[in-house]
Amino acid sequence: WLGTAMIVFMFVSVAVTDTVWYRPLLTGLSGGARAAMAWVRDNTAAGSRFLIITGTRGGDRSFEWFPALTGRVNAAPIEGYEWVPGFQQRVADDAKLQECAAQNLQCVETWSRQTGVTFEYVYLPKRPVAPLFAPSVDPLQTDCCLALRTALRATPRFSVVYDGPGATIYRLDRP
C-alpha cells in the first residue's frame, strides 16, 4: 500500500505543480488577442513574417495560436522543432528575444543580426507579465512589453499598423 500511495502522491503532485506552473499557457486567448490575430489575417500579405515578443520564455499561447489563427509566419518559432537538431539553440535564441520585451529596439536589432532571422512585423500582446516565466521582470508590471512598445513607437523605422485591446502591431518600414 505504501508503494501505491507514493505513486498516487507523485501523480497528484506533478499534476498540481504543472497546473499552477503552466497556468498562463492553459488559459485561452482573450477576445482582444483574437481580434488582433484576425486583423493580421485580413490585413497582411500571406507570407508576412512576424516577431512575436511577449516577455515569456519557453512557450506562450500567442506563439501557439498565431500561425493557426492568422495563416502568417512566426519568424522565430520554437514549437514543433523539439526533434530537430539545433533545438536548444532555438530555445536560447528565444529567451534572448523575449528579454527584448523589457528593453529597446537595439535589443531586437542585435538579436536579428546574431540569429539571421528577418521579419516585417513585430507583434506585442497587451497583457500583464507572467512572473513565473519572466523572473527578471518586475512582477507588478502590468504590461508585458511596455519598454519595447514605447521604443518602437518612438522610431520612424516602424509604424503602428494595429493598436487594439489585445495587441500592438508594428510594421518595419525601413530596414
Side-chain angles (χ1 to χ4, degrees):
W1 71 269
L2 185 58
T4 302
M6 294 282 289
I7 290 172
V8 168
F9 173 77
M10 288 179 6
F11 177 76
V12 170
S13 169
V14 167
V16 169
T17 301
D18 283 354
T19 301
V20 170
W21 183 256
Y22 292 107
R23 184 150 209 65
L25 297 176
L26 297 175
T27 57
L29 290 173
S30 69
R34 290 191 308 273
M37 290 186 192
W39 184 91
V40 167
R41 181 193 64 229
D42 297 340
N43 295 281
T44 62
S48 298
R49 296 174 55 82
F50 285 75
L51 279 185
I52 302 170
I53 304 175
T54 66
T56 303
R57 295 182 210 159
D60 182 275
R61 60 189 177 260
S62 295
F63 298 161
E64 295 281 344
W65 284 106
F66 187 85
L69 295 179
T70 65
R72 302 303 179 263
V73 176
N74 174 355
I78 56 175
E79 291 81 7
Y81 286 85
E82 294 85 351
W83 314 114
V84 176
F87 175 68
Q88 291 306 321
Q89 185 59 52
R90 273 187 181 273
V91 171
D93 290 344
D94 178 68
K96 288 179 184 173
L97 176 62
Q98 298 313 318
E99 289 174 4
C100 293
Q103 296 185 33
N104 55 31
L105 177 57
Q106 183 178 356
C107 177
V108 175
E109 291 172 331
T110 300
W111 179 90
S112 180
R113 266 193 315 278
Q114 289 174 345
T115 62
V117 173
T118 60
F119 60 94
E120 297 158 284
Y121 295 90
V122 176
Y123 179 97
L124 301 177
K126 289 184 179 175
R127 63 174 182 243
V129 171
L132 289 174
F133 291 98
S136 63
V137 178
D138 178 1
L140 299 177
Q141 185 176 332
T142 58
D143 182 349
C144 69
C145 312
L146 181 61
L148 185 56
R149 191 181 321 279
T150 303
L152 290 175
R153 202 175 285 272
T155 179
R157 292 182 38 226
F158 284 85
S159 58
V160 175
V161 293
Y162 179 87
D163 192 14
T168 307
I169 302 169
Y170 299 86
R171 182 182 61 230
L172 175 60
D173 293 328
R174 288 178 273 174

